[in-house]
């Protein structure tokens, strides 16, 4: 295992009842890398992310985070989760807290920062995702979907995680609002924030990913450099998936 690996997943399996969802998944993510997972609905992509920070317990395999298997007994998963950011599809903001309060709460409760310290870090994180200052003290219901998702990204970044997991972060947004979020994610990729992203946004995969993994039927079916996978896939299933979700014109011009 390379010392530059933040995350190594080895032969991960998961069943729901008798249905296998993950069937021996193995890959790694290096520090500063953006890795993008694409594939059809039901392939197991979201389950994989939830297994990585143990929102779902896998049946077997290893998840090695910063050199330690976090599936071993005795691991304090709360401390692990404090170092793994997670951005969900549906934002998951506290409705009774303002944008800046949503970012501050983890810093105060998990990291034990004072209110002033948390305020300073939250302010910087919200500026990093280009949220307008007049929105800092608005409640989620007063924000657009794109603004809410950017607050969710700021909340994850403020914790200074080793890696950020994104579970289809734009799928609940219309194209214009999705573009706001994707612009922020592209900037993070350029800044070498370590990210593992499940998405159907092929343009983002092409322009921001270091590697694309095509997930199919609970396994990594094909993987490689973005242009190789998106322009010249070797597997029939990959070609069929790409034909369904986008015309080749979507891939260029960004």
């Amino acid at each position: 295992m390379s010392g530059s690996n933040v995350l190594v997943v080895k032969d991960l399996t998961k069943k729901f009842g008798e249905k296998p969802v993950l069937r021996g998944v193995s890959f790694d993510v290096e520090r500063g890398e953006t890795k993008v997972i694409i594939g059809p609905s039901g392939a197991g992509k979201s389950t994989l992310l939830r297994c990585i920070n143990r929102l779902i317990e896998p049946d077997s395999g290893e998840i090695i985070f910063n050199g330690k298997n976090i599936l071993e007994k005795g691991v304090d998963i709360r401390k692990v989760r404090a170092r793994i950011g997670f951005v969900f599809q549906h934002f998951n903001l506290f409705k009774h807290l303002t944008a800046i309060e949503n970012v501050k709460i983890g810093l105060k409760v998990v990291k034990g920062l004072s209110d002033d310290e948390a305020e300073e870090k939250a302010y910087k994180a919200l500026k990093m995702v280009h949220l307008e200052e007049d929105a800092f003290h608005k409640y989620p219901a007063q924000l657009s979907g794109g603004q809410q998702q950017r607050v969710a990204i700021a909340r994850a970044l403020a914790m200074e995680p080793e890696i950020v997991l994104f579970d289809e972060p734009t799928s609940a947004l219309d194209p214009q609002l999705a573009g706001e979020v994707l612009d922020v994610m592209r900037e993070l990729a350029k800044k070498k924030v370590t990210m593992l992203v499940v998405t159907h946004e092929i343009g983002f995969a092409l322009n921001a990913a270091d590697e694309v993994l095509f997930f199919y039927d609970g396994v990594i079916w094909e993987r490689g450099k973005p242009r190789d996978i998106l322009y010249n896939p070797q597997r029939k299933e990959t070609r069929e998936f790409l034909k369904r979700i986008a015309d080749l014109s979507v891939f260029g011009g960004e």
Side-chain angles (χ1 to χ4, degrees):
M1 182 181 72
S2 168
S4 65
N5 285 331
V6 175
L7 177 71
V8 179
V9 175
K10 293 184 177 180
D11 202 26
L12 205 67
T13 70
K14 178 65 183 177
K15 285 185 178 180
F16 291 125
E18 294 301 311
K19 178 178 173 56
V21 180
L22 302 177
R23 300 189 295 114
V25 177
S26 299
F27 67 97
D28 59 70
V29 182
E30 293 188 1
R31 195 172 306 279
E33 185 177 36
T34 295
K35 195 153 288 193
V36 170
I37 300 173
I38 62 172
S41 298
K45 307 182 299 296
S46 293
T47 298
L48 172 64
L49 292 192
R50 283 163 169 73
C51 283
I52 287 171
N53 74 342
R54 289 179 54 187
L55 290 172
I56 294 174
E57 292 294 332
D59 296 326
S60 65
E62 296 182 17
I63 300 172
I64 300 169
F65 176 64
N66 273 344
K68 184 174 180 61
N69 183 6
I70 64 172
L71 297 180
E72 291 179 350
K73 290 183 179 179
V75 170
D76 187 340
I77 192 58
R78 291 173 300 177
K79 289 183 178 179
V80 172
R81 286 181 184 143
R83 296 157 63 203
I84 300 177
F86 204 123
V87 178
F88 296 88
Q89 178 178 340
H90 292 294
F91 323 139
N92 285 20
L93 299 178
F94 293 107
K95 295 179 180 179
H96 66 291
L97 299 179
T98 64
I100 198 164
E101 288 169 343
N102 263 283
V103 180
K104 285 168 59 176
I105 189 169
L107 294 167
K108 295 170 70 174
V109 173
V110 178
K111 289 204 164 188
L113 299 187
S114 69
D115 189 73
D116 286 346
E117 291 171 323
E119 180 98 9
E120 182 180 354
K121 284 187 176 290
Y123 180 90
K124 289 179 179 177
L126 289 169
K127 293 294 286 184
M128 187 181 296
V129 300
H130 304 298
L131 191 73
E132 304 79 4
E133 285 193 40
D134 64 0
F136 284 19
H137 298 286
K138 291 182 178 179
Y139 293 92
Q142 298 172 302
L143 302 174
S144 71
Q147 289 174 318
Q148 291 183 63
Q149 192 61 293
R150 283 186 281 152
V151 173
I153 295 172
R155 178 179 59 185
L157 294 175
M159 298 293 288
E160 298 176 337
E162 300 283 337
I163 186 171
V164 184
L165 312 178
F166 292 82
D167 188 10
E168 301 197 18
T170 60
S171 63
L173 304 175
D174 67 37
Q176 180 178 350
L177 298 180
E180 297 174 2
V181 174
L182 293 169
D183 285 345
V184 168
M185 292 172 64
R186 288 188 189 95
E187 284 189 20
L188 297 177
K190 289 178 181 177
K191 291 177 180 177
K192 297 300 181 182
V193 174
T194 309
M195 299 191 290
L196 180 61
V197 183
V198 168
T199 186
H200 284 97
E201 299 285 355
I202 300 302
F204 173 80
L206 179 65
N207 289 282
D210 294 291
E211 185 179 36
V212 172
L213 311 179
F214 175 65
F215 221 68
Y216 183 80
D217 196 24
V219 297
I220 296 171
W221 209 249
E222 187 170 359
R223 62 190 296 174
K225 293 292 183 183
R227 287 190 174 274
D228 293 338
I229 297 298
L230 300 175
Y231 284 118
N232 190 32
Q234 300 302 300
R235 304 293 294 268
K236 178 187 74 171
E237 292 81 2
T238 315
R239 292 193 295 269
E240 290 177 348
F241 170 76
L242 292 170
K243 285 178 182 177
R244 283 198 302 272
I245 64 168
D247 185 87
L248 281 175
S249 62
V250 175
F251 299 168
E254 293 196 7

